[in-house]
């Protein structure tokens, strides 16, 4: 039966999207297979069919589900290839690729925002930020070095209450703080690994990495997180779907 935890804090359709994405991640819904109908899901979850419809539409737009007229809704045959359009966390991204995610926390602290980061987060310099630096691991291989800066007042106690060597940050933000993570802006550039990145990722200094920055926004269009990451260039690939507009 259902494992969805309806918290009331997040819009219902967002919770249903999370439920379906978890189903894809844990293999309940397999690539290329049909998922239950809107009516069946509405009954299973005790919500209206319109709410389920809204959630499914969002996942179709993100490329994770595909509608086939007269046949139903199917898990995209290659959901992995379309991740760049979906707002996924490292944990979700790795599970979709069939890898086991984990993290090593290098530092976790609250500190005042420097000018440049304050600008990205649209706050005054000196605003308290929760700063989390982690080595992100896929199976047993270090995959990325990631430093997240979050507005501390939006998620009080984040650093003290959760163990981010085990927890997914996005899960905690969504489910424990009830924050609706809506969209993000991301830039990707190629460059050589710094000495620190090379050390924690097990690369030679200056080996190629994908350097990414992401500003994550909540549903009210306010920035919540600014992230700087370096993904190893020898084993991480992005695939982008482009559509005629
Ligand atoms: C991705 C994003 C980061 C985000 C992280 C959360 O790696 N690039 O911006 O902080 O996911 O990951 P998790 O929820 O697994 O902790």
């Amino acid at each position: 039966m259902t494992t969805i935890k309806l918290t009331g804090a997040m819009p219902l359709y967002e919770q249903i999207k999370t439920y379906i994405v978890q189903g894809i991640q844990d293999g309940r819904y397999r690539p290329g297979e049909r998922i239950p109908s809107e009516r069946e899901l509405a009954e299973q979850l005790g919500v209206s069919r319109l709410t389920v419809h809204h959630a499914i539409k969002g996942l179709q737009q993100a490329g994770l589900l595909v509608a086939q007229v007269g046949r139903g809704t199917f898990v995209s045959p290659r959901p992995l290839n379309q991740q760049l359009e979906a707002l996924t966390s490292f944990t979700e991204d790795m599970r979709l690729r069939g890898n086991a995610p984990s993290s090593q926390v290098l530092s976790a602290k609250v500190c005042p925002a420097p000018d440049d980061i304050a600008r990205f987060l649209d706050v005054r310099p000196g605003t308290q930020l929760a700063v989390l630096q982690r080595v992100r691991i896929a199976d047993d291989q270090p995959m990325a070095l990631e430093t997240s800066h979050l507005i501390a007042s939006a998620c009080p106690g984040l650093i003290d209450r959760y163990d981010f060597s085990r927890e997914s940050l996005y899960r905690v933000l969504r489910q424990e703080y009830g924050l609706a993570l809506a969209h993000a802006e991301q830039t990707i550039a190629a460059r050589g690994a710094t000495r620190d990145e090379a050390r924690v990722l097990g690369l030679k200094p200056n080996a190629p990495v994908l350097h990414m920055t992401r500003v994550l926004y909540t549903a009210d269009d306010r920035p919540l997180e600014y992230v700087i990451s370096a993904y190893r260039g020898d084993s991480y690939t992005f695939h982008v779907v482009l559509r005629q507009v």
Side-chain angles (χ1 to χ4, degrees), residues 3-141:
T3 53
I4 194 167
K5 193 175 127 204
L6 299 172
T7 60
M10 227 192 337
L12 263 185
Y13 73 91
E14 285 291 346
Q15 298 182 50
I16 293 163
K17 274 164 67 175
T18 304
Y19 173 78
I20 296 172
V21 170
Q22 277 169 0
I24 298 174
Q25 287 167 359
D26 63 26
R28 194 162 17 104
Y29 308 137
R30 296 179 179 280
E33 281 182 13
R34 199 175 72 86
I35 64 163
S37 69
E38 288 180 7
R39 187 179 47 75
E40 285 163 343
L41 281 170
E43 271 171 22
Q44 268 176 32
L45 302 172
V47 297
S48 79
R49 199 167 153 176
L50 193 69
T51 309
V52 173
H53 179 75
H54 193 170
I56 287 180
K57 264 260 140 15
L59 293 175
Q60 285 170 359
Q61 277 159 8
L64 290 178
L65 298 178
V66 193
Q68 290 191 16
V69 181
R71 294 193 59 217
T73 304
F74 292 75
V75 178
S76 172
R78 286 174 301 155
L80 285 187
N81 281 344
Q82 299 179 13
Q83 289 170 67
L84 210 60
E85 287 194 342
L87 180 58
T88 50
S89 68
F90 181 85
T91 302
E92 291 162 338
D93 187 12
M94 287 306 126
R95 287 193 182 142
L96 284 167
R97 289 165 191 252
N99 298 319
S102 62
S103 302
Q104 182 193 354
V105 177
L106 299 185
S107 80
K109 56 187 183 207
V110 175
C111 51
D115 289 10
D116 53 341
I117 292 179
R119 212 170 317 120
F120 287 115
L121 288 170
D122 199 18
V123 292
R124 282 170 197 263
T127 302
Q128 293 291 85
L129 301 181
V131 182
L132 181 61
Q133 187 174 49
R134 291 177 289 176
V135 181
R136 311 306 311 262
I137 300 164
D139 296 331
D140 287 326
Q141 193 194 38

Side-chain angles (χ1 to χ4, degrees), residues 171-187:
R171 190 207 70 77
V172 168
L173 295 173
R174 286 177 179 134
Q175 293 182 7
E176 308 298 331
Y177 288 92
L179 292 162
L181 311 183
H183 63 278
E185 276 181 44
Q186 182 158 314
T187 60

